[in-house]
Amino acid sequence: MSSGSYLLNLLVFFPLLAALPMFKIGEQHARAYAVVVAGIELLLVLCLWFLFDSNTGNLQFQSNTDLLGNGLFLFILAVDGISLFLAILNALVIFLATLAVYENKKHMLLSLLLLEGILMGVFLAQTLLVFYVFWEVSLLPVLYMIGRFGVKDRVYSGLKFFIYTFLASLIMLVGFLYWAYASYLVVRSGATPFSDAVWGSIWGSNAIWGMTFSDFAKMSAYIPLQTQFWVFLALFAGIAVKIPIFPFHSWMPHAYGNAPIVGSVVLSALLLKMGTYALVRLLLPLLPHLLPQFLLPLSLLALCMVIYAGILACVQTEMKRLIAYSSMSHMGVALLGLYALNVEGVGGAIFTMFSHGLVSAGLFMLVGMLYQRSQSSKIVAYQGVAHSMPAFATCFMFVLLANVGMPLTSGFVGEFLSLLGFFNVSPLITLLAGSTIILSAIYMLNLYRKVFLGVPNRRSQALKDLCGREKFILATLIVAILFFGIYPKPILTPIEKSVQVLLNTAQPLKDQ
């Protein structure tokens, strides 16, 4: 096992194990400990980026472990250009989130560290079963954060989030089992040209649970389209609720609106990306065979996300819910890029996932800083904040422009490439989806006008500007947003190479 392979295992298990001592650590030392652990994890993932070979799109640093010794449960980790930057996003957002926890809420910090390790498992796992275990367990820390530290109807919001996503994930599990069984029958029948030597590690030792993403993609060329159709629907159900895709989004306003600020950060910046990542790993291998019958409904659902969520954002009176609907709208553009099935579209969608994680985390943290000072996130509660908080107003404007998709910010690069890729599929839908720029400008600039401009009211006059810790958090995000908006090559090159490999793998293999 190479040093990079050990590094992948370390990325998954270090935050999980490091979180355990927090049960014995006092409240006064909890945040310092969590920041150190999250900082070490961020350094480890940056080391992985340094060791990563950007000239190839293949999986790297693969780690294979037979946990039960009989080939039944294979624990396989690997990284490519797609999962690398989601792992970096995970580490960066969790590190900044630990800094953004104002009080020494030990159990909030503990949940963040546990969630970090779980999400690393989601993004680095290469077998369906391991992926699904991490996927399902990720619900628990978020449920705890909403139910314990949320506001208003926090228990109702947490349970609604859990029930919706848990039931959808069970449907996804049924799809996995059906696919595994269909694959087993196909291999047993001799309908594939693969010999036992090739497939022995998966099928020869009853290790049907060890099917990798690569195996999943290869078998799509041999499994009947009717079977693929039902598996696609099962997987799409689990993914659609997680993103959430219209009209499977009814849990979102409650969860985002009543979650603590840090909970809203991880929901928007990280858990939402789990859904789009699963779509890349699981549904893209099926789309080349099913796209003709699914392209129109999938594209219309994504277009509804863009327009419907954008309109809802325009009429929100609470800042967290406005940002939540904004996230939903921008993810609709990313979905269109994925459906394009070309390097520009899929690569742009994955870049959008990374960029949107930075932008949405920044917006929610900004709202959290305002909430911490006045205990309100209602838009009407503020006016003329720029007079008392000029540094805060400046940072808000930078992140706002990135959310709108201003050129020279990372928000522009990903959405432009996503729409460019889908333009080859449907110019009309692309044109309509481009309305996200107009809608974003309407609700974000209107929000800025109401909150920051005008004569300060009594609440706004009492606000204090950013402290040093808050400036560091926002400066980190703004520098990343501007740097990758001006120079996106360090991210785009490895992503596009891995996307090319993924799209090639997803093609029928019968002629090979």
Side-chain angles (χ1 to χ4, degrees):
M1 190 179 293
S2 67
S3 59
S5 302
Y6 286 114
L7 183 55
L8 295 187
N9 284 279
L10 192 60
L11 286 173
V12 174
F13 291 106
F14 171 69
L16 295 176
L17 297 176
L20 299 181
M22 290 195 67
F23 287 104
K24 297 294 184 180
I25 294 176
E27 287 281 349
Q28 66 273 22
H29 303 299
R31 184 168 65 185
Y33 177 82
V35 169
V36 170
V37 172
I40 294 173
E41 180 79 353
L42 179 58
L43 292 176
L44 290 173
V45 78
L46 292 177
C47 288
L48 179 67
W49 190 9
F50 177 77
L51 296 172
F52 187 83
D53 184 3
S54 299
N55 296 317
T56 176
N58 297 320
L59 293 173
Q60 301 179 39
F61 311 125
Q62 183 162 319
S63 167
N64 299 274
T65 306
D66 188 350
L67 296 180
L68 300 181
N70 58 3
L72 185 62
F73 191 78
L74 302 178
F75 188 81
I76 302 176
L77 302 177
V79 64
D80 62 3
I82 298 171
S83 55
L84 172 64
F85 295 103
L86 293 177
I88 294 173
L89 176 66
N90 179 29
L92 178 60
V93 169
I94 295 295
F95 172 68
L96 296 178
T98 57
L99 286 172
V101 175
Y102 285 87
E103 299 85 4
N104 287 306
K105 295 179 178 178
K106 181 172 70 173
H107 294 92
M108 171 80 80
L109 296 163
L110 173 64
S111 299
L112 287 174
L113 294 183
L114 291 175
L115 183 63
E116 181 173 27
I118 293 168
L119 291 179
M120 285 296 180
V122 171
F123 296 138
L124 299 179
Q126 294 301 313
T127 60
L128 296 185
L129 181 58
V130 174
F131 170 84
Y132 181 79
V133 170
F134 282 118
W135 171 281
E136 200 76 303
V137 175
S138 67
L139 300 178
L140 299 179
V142 180
L143 172 64
Y144 181 78
M145 283 192 284
I146 297 175
R148 173 72 185 277
F149 301 105
V151 297
K152 296 181 182 178
D153 300 326
R154 60 180 186 270
V155 175
Y156 169 80
S157 301
L159 288 177
K160 188 171 185 177
F161 158 75
F162 180 80
I163 291 172
Y164 269 64
T165 51
F166 179 73
L167 292 179
S169 297
L170 288 182
I171 298 174
M172 175 188 285
L173 178 60
V174 172
F176 284 159
L177 297 177
Y178 188 29
W179 185 267
Y181 179 68
S183 300
Y184 174 73
L185 294 179
V186 168
V187 174
R188 283 285 301 273
S189 68
T192 71
F194 305 116
S195 65
D196 290 340
V198 175
W199 289 87
S201 61
I202 302 300
W203 312 104
S205 57
N206 295 322
I208 203 167
W209 311 104
M211 177 184 285
T212 66
F213 291 128
S214 177
D215 301 324
F216 181 89
K218 290 176 181 177
M219 290 308 301
S220 65
Y222 303 98
I223 291 180
L225 283 180
Q226 184 177 5
T227 301
Q228 294 190 39
F229 175 84
W230 292 110
V231 172
F232 179 91
L233 290 182
L235 300 185
F236 182 78
I239 293 170
V241 173
K242 181 75 75 173
I243 289 179
I245 294 175
F246 174 87
F248 306 97
H249 67 286
S250 63
W251 62 268
M252 185 192 72
H254 302 279
Y256 280 79
N258 295 326
I261 292 297
V262 172
S264 298
V265 168
V266 298
L267 276 169
S268 180
L270 300 177
L271 264 74
L272 187 152
K273 308 307 180 293
M274 286 173 55
T276 48
Y277 177 74
L279 197 151
V280 171
R281 291 297 188 198
L282 299 174
L283 295 192
L284 284 192
L286 300 183
L287 282 177
H289 311 282
L290 298 175
L291 189 61
Q293 53 187 307
F294 275 109
L295 177 60
L296 182 59
L298 287 176
S299 302
L300 290 179
L301 286 179
L303 183 61
C304 286
M305 287 178 65
V306 173
I307 299 177
Y308 171 77
I311 293 174
L312 286 181
C314 291
V315 298
Q316 294 303 306
T317 59
E318 201 269 339
M319 284 183 269
K320 287 201 296 182
R321 294 199 177 198
L322 185 152
I323 299 169
Y325 282 116
S326 173
S327 297
M328 181 178 171
S329 179
H330 288 293
M331 282 300 99
V333 177
L335 289 179
L336 288 176
L338 293 177
Y339 300 151
L341 290 180
N342 52 45
V343 174
E344 294 82 9
V346 178
I350 296 170
F351 189 96
T352 298
M353 292 160 59
F354 177 82
S355 170
H356 180 264
L358 300 176
V359 174
S360 62
L363 287 173
F364 276 114
M365 286 182 181
L366 284 160
V367 173
M369 293 170 189
L370 203 56
Y371 182 87
Q372 179 63 24
R373 287 161 168 78
S374 62
Q375 303 303 306
S376 176
S377 57
K378 293 285 187 179
I379 297 175
V380 71
Y382 303 96
Q383 182 175 314
V385 172
H387 292 81
S388 56
M389 302 179 69
F392 178 82
T394 302
C395 293
F396 201 104
M397 177 56 75
F398 271 109
V399 183
L400 179 154
L401 292 175
N403 192 57
V404 171
M406 179 68 67
L408 302 182
T409 67
S410 60
F412 170 79
V413 177
E415 294 195 0
F416 174 79
L417 290 175
S418 298
L419 294 174
L420 178 65
F422 197 78
F423 185 83
N424 297 324
V425 178
S426 173
L428 176 60
I429 293 180
T430 303
L431 178 64
L432 295 175
S435 63
T436 182
I437 300 174
I438 300 174
L439 290 172
S440 295
I442 292 174
Y443 59 73
M444 292 306 298
L445 292 176
N446 193 42
L447 169 67
Y448 195 88
R449 177 183 63 82
K450 291 180 178 179
V451 173
F452 292 94
L453 304 183
V455 179
N457 58 21
R458 182 177 300 178
R459 182 192 296 263
S460 299
Q461 288 175 345
L463 297 176
K464 295 182 179 180
D465 210 352
L466 300 175
C467 65
R469 175 167 53 88
E470 293 169 334
K471 289 179 180 179
F472 173 79
I473 294 172
L474 296 176
T476 302
L477 290 170
I478 290 172
V479 167
I481 289 169
L482 293 178
F483 177 80
F484 292 117
I486 297 171
Y487 186 61
K489 184 178 180 180
I491 295 181
L492 277 179
T493 298
I495 285 178
E496 289 179 347
K497 290 185 180 297
S498 293
V499 166
Q500 187 62 64
V501 171
L502 179 70
L503 294 179
N504 291 338
T505 303
Q507 299 305 311
L509 302 178
K510 292 183 180 179
D511 299 329
Q512 297 184 13

